[in-house]
Amino acid sequence: MYLKTPKRYQRGQRRSIISLRWLWLWLLTPAVVLGGIYLYNNRDAYIPHVESIMSDVVDQAQDSMATVTAPTPLPTENPTTQLAAADSAWIRGAIEEAVNIYEDVTQAVPNSVGAHYRLTLGLIMNGELEAALAAAERTITADPYDPNAWAIRSMALDWNGRYGEAVGSAQRAIELAGQDNPEAAARAQAFLAEAYYDLGQYDRAISTVNRAIETNPDSYEALRNRALIVQNTQFDFAAAMQDIEAAYALAPNLPYITIDLAALEYRETNTDEAIALLTEVLDLNPRNVSALQWMGSLYLNTIGDTNQALDYLNRCVEADPTSIICHYALGRAQVRGELYSAAADSFTKAIDLGSTNPYHYWWAGRAQVLLGSCPAATNYLQTGYLIAQENEDEALIGDYEDQMRSCGLLSAVEVTEEPEATEEAG
């Protein structure tokens, strides 16, 4: 029996008359040839585009290779090591060294109130008051709820002459310290007392600083500020000496306390003790402006060594060219050394920096007189004479009158009451 096999199971297929492969070949070949001829004839227009594409491909490949073969980033220095070095310098009393390190490390530890606090206090002691105020603001940013941050801001504001703001900052610190942090509360009260003192509110200043010592008897800030207040308002130098010695015993590494003690020793004519204390500061902080100024004045006025005085006071000006007191003290030493032209320049610099001290004007005029130029002295003497009269400084007024009389200037600045209007004048 024969079975018909379906077409799908048949082994052979009928061959097509037209081959599709040959058809595509004949269709594509002319297109490729014509396209190649077109590109060749227009190669100037296409070559830049091709080069740009290939350049991008090469750059991407190079970047990929560089990323693959890039060295491992070097580890950053652990701020703990720098903090330890700064703290060690601080404890030794090398405040200038400590400040240099704290300025770097605080960038790595932006929330460390302790590091920012010490940086601010160090800048204050170095006489860099504007920088200290900026550092105090960063201390607040580190932790706005830390009473110590607001306390050191108060001190920075006060030393910059912004007494009212200093009061507000100290009061905020006291509020944040509350009853649970007596050390911070006493510190803030001490700075508040200093601001009151600088505002001329002496009774409030002494009551506030006494309260600070009651809060924390070991507050060197409060002991130092009470010494400042009682010696300048109550003239109790024995009590001031007792307080500043106690503060020095608690914080012998802080130059401003050591310098205050040296100043009291200087007043008590304990010259050797004063020199030893100031030397102690300058050995570790050779650019401390206050110590340099005190040492220069001590050598000039007590020891009588003009050359040593000039050395320290020139260093003082170099350390802080904007210091009015350094320029004035240097001028006094230059007069003593008969360097009258240099002295005139120093006094003029002090006045140009903004001094309104009548003594500075008197010496600026005196230096010009010593140079034989009364005309150059006129403006200084007339201006300073009016300031001395406003201050009711009788001794200085007499000195001005003597100096101006020698230059024939007194009649030009004598202040007399205006004559009453007469009937004719009316």
Side-chain angles (χ1 to χ4, degrees):
M1 181 176 177
Y2 174 74
L3 297 176
K4 187 177 180 179
T5 305
K7 289 183 178 181
R8 65 177 177 273
Y9 296 120
Q10 292 179 0
R11 292 182 178 180
Q13 294 183 355
R14 293 181 183 181
R15 185 179 296 275
S16 175
I17 297 175
I18 300 174
S19 173
L20 292 176
R21 293 180 181 177
W22 284 104
L23 178 62
W24 279 108
L25 178 64
W26 285 107
L27 290 174
L28 291 174
T29 299
V32 171
V33 171
L34 292 173
I37 293 171
Y38 176 81
L39 290 173
Y40 179 78
N41 291 334
N42 296 275
R43 60 186 181 276
D44 292 340
Y46 285 94
I47 284 175
H49 296 290
V50 174
E51 289 178 346
S52 176
I53 293 170
M54 292 305 297
S55 177
D56 291 342
V57 171
V58 171
D59 289 343
Q60 291 177 6
Q62 290 177 341
D63 291 342
S64 299
M65 290 300 296
T67 302
V68 171
T69 60
T72 302
L74 295 174
T76 58
E77 186 175 357
N78 188 342
T80 304
T81 303
Q82 287 182 290
L83 278 174
D87 292 344
S88 176
W90 184 273
I91 293 169
R92 287 188 290 108
I95 305 303
E96 291 175 7
E97 177 185 344
V99 163
N100 290 334
I101 303 173
Y102 282 129
E103 284 181 328
D104 291 333
V105 78
T106 47
Q107 300 178 26
V109 287
N111 299 116
S112 173
V113 173
H116 284 283
Y117 183 100
R118 286 187 169 184
L119 172 58
T120 305
L121 179 56
L123 289 168
I124 291 172
M125 291 187 289
N126 288 349
E128 301 175 62
L129 299 182
E130 291 185 7
L133 192 54
E137 297 297 343
R138 292 194 295 271
T139 310
I140 297 288
T141 302
D143 186 353
Y145 298 100
D146 191 312
N148 291 312
W150 289 91
I152 195 61
R153 180 175 180 268
S154 174
M155 183 180 184
L157 286 165
D158 180 77
W159 285 50
N160 273 279
R162 295 163 61 175
Y163 309 131
E165 293 173 80
V167 168
S169 191
Q171 289 174 336
R172 176 59 174 157
I174 293 169
E175 178 186 349
L176 289 170
Q179 301 294 323
D180 299 327
N181 194 340
E183 182 178 345
R187 178 175 293 117
Q189 290 165 344
F191 296 154
L192 177 60
E194 187 173 15
Y196 284 147
Y197 164 76
D198 287 324
L199 285 168
Q201 301 178 19
Y202 302 136
D203 291 339
R204 181 174 289 182
I206 196 64
S207 64
T208 302
V209 78
N210 284 335
R211 187 163 63 251
I213 293 173
E214 291 173 3
T215 303
N216 178 19
D218 291 330
S219 170
Y220 65 81
E221 299 96 340
L223 289 164
R224 181 263 175 187
N225 285 350
R226 188 167 71 175
L228 172 73
I229 294 167
V230 299
Q231 69 174 305
N232 291 325
T233 63
Q234 300 176 2
F235 309 106
D236 190 343
F237 298 104
M241 179 66 80
Q242 184 176 352
D243 279 342
I244 199 64
E245 285 179 338
Y248 176 75
L250 290 165
N253 60 313
L254 300 183
Y256 82 117
I257 293 177
T258 307
I259 293 168
D260 282 355
L261 177 57
L264 270 176
E265 295 284 10
Y266 175 62
R267 184 195 175 280
E268 298 298 317
T269 67
N270 297 326
T271 304
D272 291 341
E273 289 82 351
I275 290 177
L277 289 165
L278 293 171
T279 301
E280 177 183 310
V281 172
L282 291 172
D283 283 347
L284 293 169
N285 305 277
R287 294 178 60 82
N288 187 285
V289 173
S290 184
L292 288 168
Q293 185 268 317
W294 270 106
M295 191 74 96
S297 297
L298 190 151
Y299 270 99
L300 180 67
N301 299 318
T302 302
I303 299 176
D305 189 333
T306 304
N307 290 331
Q308 280 277 47
L310 286 169
D311 177 60
Y312 283 113
L313 294 171
N314 274 307
R315 286 170 57 188
C316 188
V317 169
E318 290 171 4
D320 184 4
T322 66
S323 172
I324 292 173
I325 189 62
C326 286
H327 283 287
Y328 170 69
L330 176 59
R332 293 292 302 275
Q334 289 165 334
V335 168
R336 187 76 59 83
E338 299 183 357
L339 305 171
Y340 301 135
S341 180
D345 290 340
S346 294
F347 295 131
T348 298
K349 184 64 176 178
I351 291 170
D352 289 344
L353 286 168
S355 174
T356 58
N357 190 318
Y359 285 90
H360 297 181
Y361 280 87
W362 190 90
W363 278 102
R366 176 62 179 166
Q368 295 296 338
V369 171
L370 290 170
L371 286 171
S373 179
C374 279
T378 300
N379 183 58
Y380 297 122
L381 294 175
Q382 290 178 343
T383 303
Y385 182 59
L386 294 175
I387 298 173
Q389 288 180 319
E390 291 174 2
N391 295 345
E392 299 181 352
D393 188 333
E394 296 299 330
L396 185 57
I397 289 172
D399 290 338
Y400 266 105
E401 291 177 347
D402 290 341
Q403 189 67 80
M404 289 190 295
R405 192 173 290 110
S406 69
C407 284
L409 300 173
L410 188 59
S411 60
V413 296
E414 283 180 332
V415 179
T416 59
E417 294 183 1
E418 294 183 3
E420 296 181 1
T422 62
E423 291 183 0
E424 293 79 3

